[in-house]
Amino acid sequence: MELNAEVKETDSKVARIQGGLSMRLNAKNSEKIAFALLGLSALTVMGFVLVILGYIIYNGYSAINIEFLTEMPRLMMTQGGIYPAIVGTLYLIIGSMSVALPVGVMAAIYLNEYAGETRTTWLIEMAINNLAGTPSVVFGLFGLALFVKYFGFGPSLLSSSLTLSLLIIPVIIRSTEEALIAVPKEYRESSLALGVSKWQTIRHAVLPAAIPGIITGSILSIGRVAGETAPILFTGVAYFLPRLPDSIYSQFMALPYHLFVLATAGTNIAKTRPIQYGTALVLLLLVLCLNLIAVLIRRHYKNKLKI
């Protein structure tokens, strides 16, 4: 009897060990499959990106030269360069970010640091989410009604910049909120324990630690501003304008709208095909350069925080 009991106990221990081993093996296999699927997804995305970039570079590099980048357009854009469109796109980015970045960061600070979990805060968060999902053409029509017509700015660089700033403010608010949430509570508690005011704590302890995340939102915003067509279509962009804007109330050229018209309604679509691909390549390179600058700034602040 005792022998049978010992055998049964041994069998049960062996069964438990085998069950544990099988569970570990299943977990490892599941982990391997998950990593393989994630890697395959990443490679698929990278493949599509490389194919698109390769196609644009292959068709557009022949149009890139000094004259193309520095000359004014001629003969309804069938000849000449795209210098006004490059400058106009840079003006749009600078103008919209000058408005959206401080407003978005201050709004995120208020929502995360000062406003409690109230019904009003919930409504504000819902409004931000809805704005983030609103089609860009709606922002364009709103900018036309508010800035062009109501405030009387007319079709201008100012109207377009303000419209685009409204478009990217939700992105900046969301990214800034996430960056502020990621800052450890010990930063706030240590600062407040020293008798420092709440605003001084936010300014000197919380914000410096959140800057990398804020810059990430700025990178996304820059890419969206540089590539949007619908908002500026209604608020001030021009297809053929062989001069630079002389004030914020002037019309301007921009790369995305210029590319759109060249490819869909130009005076000679077949003849301007190299210019179309060249414009697309310049737009990609411009966004890439601006993003690289932002990434370097973010890395600088990350290294500074580690020190």
Side-chain angles (χ1 to χ4, degrees), residues 86-98:
I86 297 174
V87 174
T89 303
L90 289 174
Y91 283 168
L92 276 180
I93 293 172
I94 294 171
S96 59
M97 293 300 295
S98 299

Side-chain angles (χ1 to χ4, degrees), residues 37-104:
L37 291 175
L38 290 172
L40 181 62
S41 300
L43 289 175
T44 303
V45 173
M46 288 179 60
F48 279 116
V49 171
L50 291 176
V51 169
I52 294 171
L53 289 176
Y55 183 76
I56 293 175
I57 293 172
Y58 176 77
N59 290 279
Y61 80 96
S62 60
I64 306 296
N65 52 55
I66 298 299
E67 291 76 15
F68 185 72
L69 298 176
T70 59
E71 286 188 357
M72 299 292 177
R74 300 190 304 271
L75 299 178
M76 296 305 293
M77 205 45 242
T78 58
Q79 295 181 14
I82 58 170
Y83 180 65
I86 297 174
V87 174
T89 303
L90 289 174
Y91 283 168
L92 276 180
I93 293 172
I94 294 171
S96 59
M97 293 300 295
S98 299
V99 176
L101 189 58
V103 172

Side-chain angles (χ1 to χ4, degrees), residues 244-277:
L244 298 180
D246 52 11
S247 73
I248 58 175
Y249 298 103
S250 302
Q251 284 191 279
F252 60 96
M253 294 181 66
L255 290 171
Y257 180 71
H258 184 67
L259 176 60
F260 167 74
V261 177
L262 278 177
T264 58
T267 54
N268 191 334
I269 295 178
K271 189 176 181 180
T272 59
R273 191 78 66 188
I275 300 177
Q276 298 170 29
Y277 286 107

